[in-house]
Amino acid sequence: MEELHLFVSTQLEIFLEEYSRDILEIFRISQRYLISRREKGDSLESLSKEHHWSSWSCHGFIENMKRHSAGYCAMYGICGTRSDGKALNCPFGRPSVKPDDLFSSKIQSLCPTISGNVCCTEVQFDTLRSQVQQAVPFFVGCPACLRNFLNLFCELSCSPDQSLFINVTSIKKVDKNLTVDAIDFYVTEAFGQGLYGSCKDVKFGTMNTLAIEFVAGGARNFTEWFSFLGRQAGLDEPGSPYAINFLSSIPESSGMTPMNDTSYLCSDTSLGCSCGDCPSSATCSKSVAPSPHKGGSCALKIGSLQAKCVDVAVAIVYISLLFMFLGWGIIHKRKEMKTVSRTKPLMKVSGSQDRDSEKQKDGNLSLPNLEDITWTSNGVEFSVIQGYMSNFYKNYGMWAAKRPFLVLFSSLTIVLVLCLGLIRFKVETRPEKLWVGPGSRAEKEKQYFDSHLAPFYRIEQLILGTMPDEVGKPPSILTEDNLKLLFQIQQKVSGIQVNYSGSIVSLADICLKPLGQDCATQSVLQYFKMNPENFDEYGGINHVEYCFQHFSSAEMCLSVFKAPLDPSTAVGGYSGSNYSEASSFIVTYPVNNAMDRESIETKTAVAWEKAFIQLAQNELLPMARSRNLTLAFSSESSIEEELKRESSADAITIVISYLVMFAYISLTLGDSPRLSSFYISTKMLLGLSGVVLVILSVLGSVGFFSAVGVKSTLIIMEVIPFLVLAVGVDNMCILVHAVKRQAQELPLEARISSALFEVGPSITQASLSEVLAFAVGTIIPMPAVRVFSMFAALAILLDFLLQVTAFVALIVLDFSRTEDNRIDCFPCIKMPYSAGPENGVECKDGLLTRYMKEIHAPVLSLWGIKIIVISVFVAFALASIALSTRIEPGLEQKIVLPRDSYLQGYFNNVSEYLRIGPPLYFVVKNYNYSSESRQTNQLCSISQCDSNSLLNEISRASLIPESSYIAKPAASWLDDFLVWLSPEAFGCCRKFVNGSYCPPDDQPPCCASDQGTCGIGGVCKDCTTCFLHSDLLNDRPNTVQFREKLHWFLNALPSADCSKGGHGAYSNSVDLKGYENGVIQASEFRTYHTPLNKQIDYVNSMRAARNFAAKVSKNLQMEIFPYSVFYMFFEQYLDIWKTALISLAVATGAVFIVCLVITFSLWSSLIILLVLAMIVIDLMGVVAILDIQLNAISVVNLVMSVGIAVEFCVHLTHAFMINVGDRNQRMKAALATMGASVFSGITITKLVGVIVLRFSRSKVFVVYFFQMYLALVLLGFLHGLIFLPVVLSLFGPPSRCIKNQEERRSTSSTVINS
């Protein structure tokens, strides 16, 4: 070792005096190298011979290389290659060399800043060219960035002053030659910052990300970028074959100067970049990025309390109304007291006379001649319509009572004929046919997208997650055991084989293959090429974590389908970009889709999906649970299959509900039970018949619409029977009770006629209101709701017609059975009359009737109670208005599915784990690419594109994702095509001498597929770029060039030498039908929405995208629309409030008109309208409290609530108008006569029909039907039996009793005369 030191020292002393600074560094390198070789046992003689030490003599070395001087090279020539074929420079310096003219022109084409002598051979330059050509396509859209990037490597490789800023620090023996193993490259910070600043915003459209992610490893500043560029690449990895240590500060004694070429700003006008690649460009400053949308509504701050403006406004209105009402009440009370004190004697006299006359009438009851009953019968004045209706029901009742069998069989025959349509009965379960209106904009856009481009692929997905620990935080999924489990799961999924039509189908047969070979499975296993044997070889977990950081740049991390795999698509449950803390693996299998649902391709995919779900349920789920993991899964057809399963899920619930309703009807319709005659007085057979009529009305409705080709839905099958039963039972009870109220001395025909005369008009009014309210739902575009409204409206109409026909006939038969003393349910058995009901026994009022008459009505007549009732109900109504503003549009998918569906867990996991939103496409129609059109620059986002182009605007919108819901710049086939054509991208668009397409050098035939490496030369050595700059007009192709080369681009495979190939990434992005005429009918630019976790996010993202597209379309005078797969299902929510308000206005207006036409009383119609409005408003408040979303189902429920609520108002208002006395007296009388019927015949029957829905297995029925209808019934009961009586007692219309009007006139004239 001492000999070696002496040997080296002797050489140093010879040259130290004259050339110490120049040679000191190289000898230090040699010293380190020689020492290391000597330590390995090499002799001095062998070292001297091997490295030609004689050439390192004093004068020979100085002649070949003067260290760190202008005009001298630090490296020159290639002295070896690595095993992967990468060239290694010689570490020997020499004076720079003057190239010949041809070589000089080649250098100028790539490195215009280098002229004269150079420090590289032609082979070195070709190596430089082949290496930088991989990065050129990333930056060519921004000339300033590309120029800076090329200048950096041109100076490194060929600068004539190379030795001034490059210092070889390590050498290595390769093939018996010394080669460069490491260098120091001194670059000024100004150049580094300029380089990074010009490139940091440049996009790489193919992957919807920034180019810096691929070329700089996601560097956040120039030092990180230099570190990325300078690392020594491993074998078969992209990067430098030797280490480059980028430095900015140089020791003063070194005599070196850092490289400080001029760096161009991206805003430089001569090398200007687009706004998308350079937001700081002067042309972009005129188009300022939109400011973030400030969410939230108007709010006021009062001290420390912050309240919404609507809440404050409602509070002010309520206080104002309360004071106005109290003031009116005080004034009214005083006037009433004065009037009472002046008229009290007269009222006593008249009152006693009235009572005497009434007692006399009651005592001398005579049978009236029903044929002589007029429209003013019993001293009551009817409107014209009511008169006609009453007269019709009077005559019809008499006729039907005499011919019950004819009425019964004729009505049943008509309904049974309608039921014949059931032979064409079909159920619609396809989601797009249930929830998307025909002819909607979203459906048209989907059809356009599918027909001109390609249907969005089918998605099959697995989500494997960890269980939360004790503190509720799930641990990382990234363990060796979990990855090996994922390989096992993948093996089972790949092994699924389905026999369809005699063919064996596997995932490989149906999956999406962008490059035609391998499935585009999105899985973390792609980092191991989907091969479990690579797990240990690649480094296991460490390799995954490495790929998380270098997925875009490391070749070892590329997927088997030759594309980078973004970790955000393969793992979930992490924060920021910390993928290592991910708590779930997300595996997505894209499967080819077809427009025709009946095609072999679609049916094959569905068959495989069924096997996939079966495998997940039977095998994969137990595997995950055995390792304390969760597994969620879904297929494209899952929702439809689960909806089909739901159709039979509630059969038991339906049967139980009808049994409960049947039992209640039987009890309600029957007489007060007597032990001696209960088997005669019960109405079980009549109740059962009523239930059968309800079923027939539903079947008739379904049969009619099935006959005309309208498919049914699950909502119709499960909900309409309950609703029709609940609605229909009311009229049954009212009819039976009306017959019971008639004088028993009358013949049965007269009682039936009199009962129909009494309640027929009000039943008709309520039923027509319900039918109209349900029919209004047909204006809602959602097919499931529109069809539901059609079926329900017809079913209620048929039920009403059957009630006034068949059920009236059944009443006649049942009362005849009772009078004939026959047993209920066994009418053929006749009992002796002694066992029948006792004749002549006075019927006593029931408990409920006595409560209404003796407690409820007197309490409501108290003045203090009235004030409380009005105040409370108005307060709740105003509060409901404020609450309704908090209702969000949407319909959670989980609610529509059965509670035990495997999709419930899947949707929970999607919202919890996914960190990327749905794909978003901006579709351009009729793009004119001809030379005469400016539309190319109006769309693109590279150099010389318009600052307000579509893609630049998308880039700006992605800067404010909180309001635009756009997560990334768009992948642009047009940008990549223009870059691919560019002469700068010399490795992309190339042609053979004969003019045919020449692929990049790393693709066949330029590079044989079985070759490990691809050298320069071979069959493609004479390939040239498609165009020179002089061939293009302002760097844009003309019409012919565009047309000819577009096919080449779309068929070009991407590779390392040209990443811009369009095959795979853009195969379906352009519609080539008829494009030869200069117009492309349809093309798309793909980006992504931000993660959408709530229904309101989906709605707002769709609204934002449409607003954005409308603005850009208007500015560019082009037709552009956004498209995403979920738009079709969420379009309805954009205007759901408008639809709801219009529907409610039409429904209440229809009910108001029906009431006005039938009663001919504006006063009473307005009161009914007021109560209906308050019921609907209060119901909306309850909807907000229960956190029920606003969608077509809730809207139709609100609309139907108008019709159902009518029953709580009509009968009581009618009774109030036909009674005598002042308002308080008439209110009491109305409650006494109709209060019990409203409670037992309307409220309870509806409760019984609705409560059964609580036990449905589908949550949609529980939330949207049980909860909403239960709230409706309770609100209707409270308003009908508490609020309405108080309103009538204060503001009710005048009595229509002629006797009461005459008394009032007589009283008032007496008061005036006195």
Side-chain angles (χ1 to χ4, degrees):
M1 188 63 67
E2 292 179 358
E3 293 178 290
L4 180 63
H5 277 291
L6 179 61
F7 177 76
V8 173
S9 300
T10 302
Q11 301 298 323
L12 282 172
E13 288 175 359
I14 296 174
F15 309 112
L16 190 57
E17 292 183 4
E18 186 175 358
Y19 302 110
S20 60
R21 291 185 180 178
D22 294 331
I23 64 174
L24 181 60
E25 196 65 35
I26 190 67
F27 272 100
R28 285 177 179 169
I29 296 170
S30 288
Q31 184 180 26
R32 288 195 297 267
Y33 176 73
L34 292 172
I35 289 173
S36 66
R37 294 301 305 270
R38 182 66 175 147
E39 287 175 346
K40 294 180 180 178
D42 292 345
S43 66
L44 289 175
E45 291 78 13
S46 64
L47 289 175
S48 179
K49 277 185 180 181
E50 181 180 340
H51 298 290
H52 311 285
W53 195 252
S54 60
S55 68
W56 286 58
S57 65
C58 175
H59 300 288
F61 178 76
I62 295 301
E63 184 65 25
N64 290 311
M65 174 180 157
K66 288 185 178 179
R67 296 289 294 171
H68 313 315
S69 300
Y72 272 77
C73 308
M75 306 175 291
Y76 187 83
I78 295 177
C79 288
T81 57
R82 301 198 317 179
S83 59
D84 59 0
K86 289 187 176 182
L88 296 170
N89 292 339
C90 300
F92 313 123
R94 58 164 296 162
S96 57
V97 178
K98 183 174 179 60
D100 58 36
D101 292 341
L102 179 60
F103 183 29
S104 179
S105 63
K106 288 177 66 176
I107 292 175
Q108 283 287 300
S109 67
L110 185 68
C111 307
T113 60
I114 297 178
S115 59
N117 293 353
V118 296
C119 280
C120 59
T121 64
E122 192 162 359
V123 176
Q124 275 183 292
F125 178 79
D126 289 339
T127 301
L128 167 67
R129 185 184 178 95
S130 65
Q131 289 176 343
V132 298
Q133 80 174 18
Q134 298 179 10
V136 166
F138 291 93
F139 294 141
V140 72
C142 181
C145 167
L146 179 62
R147 184 74 276 139
N148 292 333
F149 182 79
L150 292 178
N151 283 353
L152 177 71
F153 286 94
C154 285
E155 295 292 329
L156 169 67
S157 300
C158 294
S159 173
D161 302 322
Q162 188 186 66
S163 65
L164 288 177
F165 46 80
I166 289 181
N167 189 30
V168 178
T169 59
S170 178
I171 57 177
K172 183 179 182 181
K173 178 186 173 185
V174 176
D175 296 332
K176 299 183 179 182
N177 294 324
L178 288 179
T179 62
V180 173
D181 190 50
I183 65 171
D184 286 342
F185 186 6
Y186 293 95
V187 182
T188 63
E189 290 188 359
F191 182 85
Q193 291 172 349
L195 170 63
Y196 182 80
S198 64
C199 297
K200 63 184 177 66
D201 294 314
V202 176
K203 303 184 303 299
F204 181 52
T206 307
M207 293 297 295
N208 292 94
T209 187
L210 297 176
I212 211 84
E213 295 287 340
F214 291 82
V215 183
R220 291 165 293 183
N221 51 58
F222 80 91
T223 56
E224 290 184 6
W225 191 1
F226 281 170
S227 297
F228 176 82
L229 293 174
R231 62 183 175 85
Q232 187 172 21
L235 294 177
D236 297 317
E237 289 185 3
S240 173
Y242 52 84
I244 305 174
N245 184 25
F246 287 90
L247 300 171
S248 59
S249 59
I250 299 178
E252 294 182 2
S253 60
S254 67
M256 300 178 70
T257 304
M259 193 276 286
N260 191 24
D261 267 15
T262 301
S263 60
Y264 298 92
L265 299 175
C266 66
S267 57
D268 191 302
T269 54
S270 62
L271 294 170
C273 303
S274 67
C275 292
D277 292 335
C278 182
S280 62
S281 173
T283 57
C284 305
S285 60
K286 302 175 183 177
S287 181
V288 182
S291 58
H293 174 71
K294 294 182 179 179
S297 57
C298 170
L300 295 175
K301 193 169 184 180
I302 306 172
S304 61
L305 178 65
Q306 187 170 354
K308 288 187 175 182
C309 293
V310 65
D311 299 340
V312 176
V314 165
I316 294 173
V317 170
Y318 175 68
I319 294 172
S320 302
L321 289 177
L322 182 61
F323 277 106
M324 290 172 60
F325 175 68
L326 291 176
W328 173 86
I330 293 171
I331 296 173
H332 179 74
K333 189 65 176 177
R334 287 180 179 177
K335 287 185 177 180
E336 189 180 67
M337 292 175 64
K338 290 180 181 179
T339 304
V340 170
S341 63
R342 295 175 61 184
T343 60
K344 190 173 182 180
L346 295 174
M347 292 176 65
K348 283 184 178 180
V349 173
S350 61
S352 61
Q353 291 176 349
D354 289 341
R355 285 192 295 271
D356 292 342
S357 61
E358 288 174 8
K359 288 180 181 179
Q360 185 178 359
K361 288 179 183 177
D362 293 339
N364 301 290
L365 185 64
S366 60
L367 299 181
N369 186 357
L370 291 173
E371 298 297 332
D372 295 332
I373 293 178
T374 65
W375 296 347
T376 57
S377 176
N378 293 329
V380 177
E381 229 176 26
F382 291 108
S383 68
V384 175
I385 301 298
Q386 279 181 315
Y388 277 116
M389 291 174 64
S390 299
N391 193 44
F392 166 78
Y393 277 116
K394 177 193 68 173
N395 296 326
Y396 165 74
M398 185 65 72
W399 180 84
K402 294 178 180 179
R403 304 168 181 83
F405 289 103
L406 175 63
V407 173
L408 179 62
F409 289 117
S410 59
S411 57
L412 292 180
T413 300
I414 295 173
V415 175
L416 291 174
V417 169
L418 293 177
C419 292
L420 294 176
L422 291 172
I423 59 177
R424 299 186 60 187
F425 174 76
K426 292 181 179 180
V427 178
E428 183 63 81
T429 58
R430 290 177 294 176
E432 66 273 15
K433 295 296 182 182
L434 288 173
W435 311 112
V436 182
S440 70
R441 174 183 166 182
E443 184 190 37
K444 291 178 180 177
E445 291 172 348
K446 180 183 183 301
Q447 290 292 331
Y448 188 90
F449 186 91
D450 291 351
S451 59
H452 286 82
L453 300 171
F456 192 77
Y457 48 80
R458 305 174 71 90
I459 296 177
E460 334 296 343
Q461 201 164 56
L462 295 170
I463 301 178
L464 184 69
T466 56
M467 299 286 288
D469 55 20
E470 294 79 6
V471 296
K473 182 180 179 180
S476 173
I477 190 74
L478 291 173
T479 66
E480 184 174 334
D481 290 340
N482 291 341
L483 277 169
K484 290 182 177 179
L485 172 63
L486 193 61
F487 272 116
Q488 295 176 24
I489 291 175
Q490 178 60 43
Q491 186 176 7
K492 287 184 175 294
V493 173
S494 299
I496 296 176
Q497 291 187 330
V498 179
N499 189 336
Y500 182 80
S501 298
S503 301
I504 302 299
V505 180
S506 65
L507 177 62
D509 300 317
I510 61 175
C511 68
L512 181 69
K513 300 176 181 178
L515 300 183
Q517 297 177 349
D518 298 288
C519 295
T521 302
Q522 304 292 301
S523 170
V524 73
L525 300 182
Q526 290 287 5
Y527 296 141
F528 301 98
K529 313 300 182 189
M530 303 297 288
N531 188 350
E533 295 179 0
N534 294 335
F535 182 78
D536 292 325
E537 181 182 345
Y538 283 18
I541 296 295
N542 293 332
H543 177 69
V544 174
E545 294 181 344
Y546 171 79
C547 289
F548 283 165
Q549 303 302 322
H550 305 92
F551 70 93
S552 58
S553 56
E555 189 172 351
M556 288 285 288
C557 299
L558 287 180
S559 64
V560 291
F561 58 96
K562 309 302 181 186
L565 178 73
D566 192 333
S568 63
T569 65
V571 294
Y574 56 88
S575 58
S577 298
N578 191 5
Y579 303 119
S580 297
E581 71 174 16
S583 58
S584 68
F585 290 134
I586 301 172
V587 184
T588 305
Y589 303 99
V591 170
N592 292 316
N593 205 352
M595 288 188 63
D596 185 8
R597 289 176 54 88
E598 302 302 320
S599 66
I600 297 297
E601 186 177 8
T602 301
K603 291 182 177 180
T604 301
V606 171
W608 186 90
E609 287 166 357
K610 290 180 179 179
F612 170 71
I613 296 299
Q614 187 175 5
L615 173 74
Q617 290 177 317
N618 298 338
E619 297 185 38
L620 304 186
L621 188 59
M623 287 172 59
R625 287 175 174 172
S626 66
R627 291 167 171 81
N628 200 31
L629 299 174
T630 63
L631 180 70
F633 45 91
S634 171
S635 71
E636 185 73 16
S637 57
S638 287
I639 293 180
E640 183 174 346
E641 294 299 322
E642 286 298 278
L643 289 176
K644 289 179 181 178
R645 184 174 70 87
E646 185 185 35
S647 61
S648 58
D650 292 322
I652 297 177
T653 305
I654 295 175
V655 173
I656 292 175
S657 68
Y658 273 83
L659 291 176
V660 171
M661 186 63 77
F662 161 65
Y664 176 77
I665 293 174
S666 300
L667 292 175
T668 303
L669 299 183
D671 297 326
S672 300
R674 292 190 181 89
L675 185 61
S676 59
S677 60
F678 73 93
Y679 44 83
I680 294 177
S681 61
T682 57
K683 304 288 184 185
M684 294 185 64
L685 189 59
L686 183 62
L688 178 62
S689 302
V691 173
V692 171
L693 292 180
V694 170
I695 296 174
L696 287 177
S697 65
V698 175
L699 293 177
S701 176
V702 175
F704 171 78
F705 285 110
S706 298
V708 298
V710 180
K711 291 185 178 180
S712 182
T713 66
L714 300 178
I715 296 177
I716 292 171
M717 297 170 61
E718 295 203 8
V719 177
I720 287 184
F722 298 117
L723 297 180
V724 177
L725 191 63
V727 171
V729 168
D730 307 343
N731 293 339
M732 295 180 195
C733 295
I734 291 172
L735 283 170
V736 173
H737 291 164
V739 175
K740 288 182 178 181
R741 283 198 302 269
Q742 306 306 311
Q744 297 300 310
E745 293 82 357
L746 292 173
L748 181 58
E749 295 84 352
R751 279 182 279 155
I752 297 294
S753 178
S754 181
L756 285 176
F757 175 85
E758 177 184 329
V759 300
S762 61
I763 288 178
T764 304
Q765 181 180 350
S767 298
L768 287 180
S769 298
E770 290 166 346
V771 170
L772 284 175
F774 276 80
V776 168
T778 59
I779 71 175
I780 297 176
M782 182 186 284
V785 178
R786 187 176 65 252
V787 171
F788 170 75
S789 301
M790 292 164 50
F791 279 65
L794 182 57
I796 291 176
L797 178 62
L798 290 176
D799 187 52
F800 163 69
L801 295 176
L802 286 175
Q803 286 167 356
V804 297
T805 54
F807 192 70
V808 168
L810 290 170
I811 291 176
V812 173
L813 295 176
D814 188 76
F815 274 74
S816 298
R817 172 195 62 78
T818 303
E819 293 177 357
D820 206 22
N821 228 37
R822 296 180 181 274
I823 297 177
D824 190 21
C825 299
F826 302 98
C828 295
I829 302 176
K830 185 176 182 180
M831 300 299 293
Y833 278 98
S834 58
E838 298 177 17
N839 296 325
V841 177
E842 183 181 357
C843 293
K844 295 182 180 180
D845 292 332
L847 179 62
L848 188 57
T849 302
R850 292 201 303 272
Y851 164 77
M852 288 291 176
K853 184 185 298 183
E854 299 172 6
I855 299 176
H856 191 76
V859 170
L860 291 183
S861 64
L862 298 175
W863 186 252
I865 297 298
K866 292 179 182 180
I867 293 176
I868 294 173
V869 168
I870 295 294
S871 301
V872 171
F873 276 81
V874 171
F876 189 71
L878 292 175
S880 295
I881 293 175
L883 288 170
S884 63
T885 62
R886 293 164 169 80
I887 301 176
E888 292 185 349
L891 176 62
E892 292 289 348
Q893 292 174 304
K894 297 183 293 183
I895 290 180
V896 185
L897 300 167
R899 297 183 185 183
D900 59 349
S901 171
Y902 61 86
L903 289 177
Q904 298 285 356
Y906 170 76
F907 287 128
N908 288 333
N909 285 3
V910 165
S911 60
E912 180 180 356
Y913 293 129
L914 261 62
R915 295 296 185 266
I916 191 167
L920 167 62
Y921 301 88
F922 286 97
V923 182
V924 179
K925 301 172 72 172
N926 301 319
Y927 158 43
N928 187 341
Y929 64 81
S930 64
S931 304
E932 297 78 18
S933 172
R934 290 194 63 257
Q935 290 190 358
T936 295
N937 286 339
Q938 289 180 315
L939 293 176
C940 65
S941 64
I942 60 173
S943 176
Q944 300 186 30
C945 296
D946 292 352
S947 62
N948 65 338
S949 67
L950 170 64
L951 290 163
N952 280 331
E953 292 293 344
I954 294 174
S955 296
R956 287 194 197 91
S958 67
L959 300 176
I960 48 170
E962 62 274 8
S963 61
S964 69
Y965 292 90
I966 297 176
K968 300 180 178 182
S972 169
W973 70 268
L974 181 58
D975 281 358
D976 286 355
F977 175 52
L978 296 177
V979 168
W980 184 83
L981 282 175
S982 173
E984 279 87 358
F986 42 80
C988 292
C989 185
R990 307 196 307 171
K991 58 184 178 182
F992 287 110
V993 176
N994 62 5
S996 61
Y997 173 65
C998 175
D1001 285 328
D1002 59 351
Q1003 295 182 21
C1006 304
C1007 175
S1009 58
D1010 57 349
Q1011 271 185 244
T1013 61
C1014 297
I1016 300 172
V1019 296
C1020 299
K1021 61 182 173 54
D1022 294 327
C1023 288
T1024 59
T1025 57
C1026 294
F1027 304 108
L1028 302 175
H1029 279 291
S1030 58
D1031 298 329
L1032 304 175
L1033 180 62
N1034 295 326
D1035 288 336
R1036 296 291 183 264
N1038 60 35
T1039 307
V1040 176
Q1041 293 167 340
F1042 195 109
R1043 180 170 58 242
E1044 290 178 350
K1045 297 301 181 286
L1046 183 58
H1047 264 300
W1048 285 16
F1049 168 71
L1050 294 177
N1051 291 320
L1053 293 171
S1055 63
D1057 283 358
C1058 181
S1059 59
K1060 294 292 185 179
H1063 186 69
Y1066 302 120
S1067 297
N1068 297 318
S1069 295
V1070 184
D1071 181 10
L1072 296 179
K1073 293 179 183 177
Y1075 88 106
E1076 297 85 359
N1077 60 5
V1079 176
I1080 294 176
Q1081 295 184 34
S1083 62
E1084 53 89 353
F1085 302 92
R1086 182 189 69 253
T1087 179
Y1088 290 90
H1089 277 301
T1090 53
L1092 308 175
N1093 297 320
K1094 298 179 180 179
Q1095 294 283 294
I1096 191 65
D1097 293 336
Y1098 285 92
V1099 179
N1100 289 339
S1101 65
M1102 182 180 182
R1103 180 181 288 109
R1106 284 193 171 180
N1107 291 340
F1108 172 84
K1111 182 190 72 173
V1112 175
S1113 298
K1114 182 179 179 181
N1115 292 340
L1116 303 182
Q1117 297 297 305
M1118 299 176 70
E1119 192 171 357
I1120 304 168
F1121 68 85
Y1123 171 75
S1124 191
V1125 287
F1126 69 87
Y1127 282 4
M1128 204 169 53
F1129 302 103
F1130 284 85
E1131 184 183 38
Q1132 56 177 306
Y1133 305 123
L1134 296 178
D1135 299 313
I1136 193 68
W1137 272 108
K1138 179 181 178 181
T1139 302
L1141 295 177
I1142 291 176
S1143 302
L1144 288 172
V1146 173
T1148 52
V1151 171
F1152 173 75
I1153 292 173
V1154 169
C1155 295
L1156 183 62
V1157 169
I1158 292 179
T1159 65
F1160 212 69
S1161 171
L1162 179 62
W1163 198 332
S1164 64
S1165 299
L1166 287 174
I1167 289 178
I1168 291 175
L1169 182 64
L1170 170 67
V1171 177
L1172 291 180
M1174 291 188 66
I1175 291 176
V1176 173
I1177 291 172
D1178 290 352
L1179 182 59
M1180 293 178 70
V1182 174
V1183 165
I1185 294 172
L1186 296 176
D1187 200 23
I1188 297 175
Q1189 294 172 314
L1190 188 67
N1191 48 56
I1193 299 177
S1194 53
V1195 168
V1196 82
N1197 284 346
L1198 290 170
V1199 171
M1200 290 187 296
S1201 68
V1202 176
I1204 294 176
V1206 168
E1207 295 193 21
F1208 293 97
C1209 309
V1210 168
H1211 303 293
L1212 200 67
T1213 305
H1214 179 70
F1216 177 82
M1217 292 176 64
I1218 64 174
N1219 271 291
V1220 297
D1222 60 20
R1223 289 191 176 101
N1224 262 330
Q1225 292 171 338
R1226 286 188 287 141
M1227 178 268 287
K1228 293 178 182 179
L1231 282 174
T1233 55
M1234 292 303 299
S1237 296
V1238 170
F1239 182 79
S1240 63
I1242 298 178
T1243 304
I1244 301 300
T1245 54
K1246 284 177 168 53
L1247 282 176
V1248 173
V1250 168
I1251 286 176
V1252 180
L1253 291 174
R1254 172 63 182 83
F1255 305 99
S1256 173
R1257 293 176 62 186
S1258 179
K1259 200 172 181 180
V1260 68
F1261 301 122
V1262 176
V1263 173
Y1264 287 96
F1265 293 100
F1266 167 70
Q1267 291 183 1
M1268 288 192 69
Y1269 279 96
L1270 178 63
L1272 170 62
V1273 172
L1274 296 178
L1275 289 172
F1277 159 71
L1278 293 173
H1279 283 78
L1281 292 180
I1282 297 177
F1283 180 71
L1284 178 60
V1286 171
V1287 171
L1288 290 174
S1289 69
L1290 294 174
F1291 313 107
S1295 174
R1296 286 202 163 172
C1297 181
I1298 298 175
K1299 173 181 171 183
N1300 196 63
Q1301 293 172 5
E1302 291 174 351
E1303 287 180 352
R1304 224 176 20 248
R1305 286 196 294 269
S1306 174
T1307 302
S1308 60
S1309 63
T1310 304
V1311 172
I1312 293 172
N1313 292 333
S1314 62

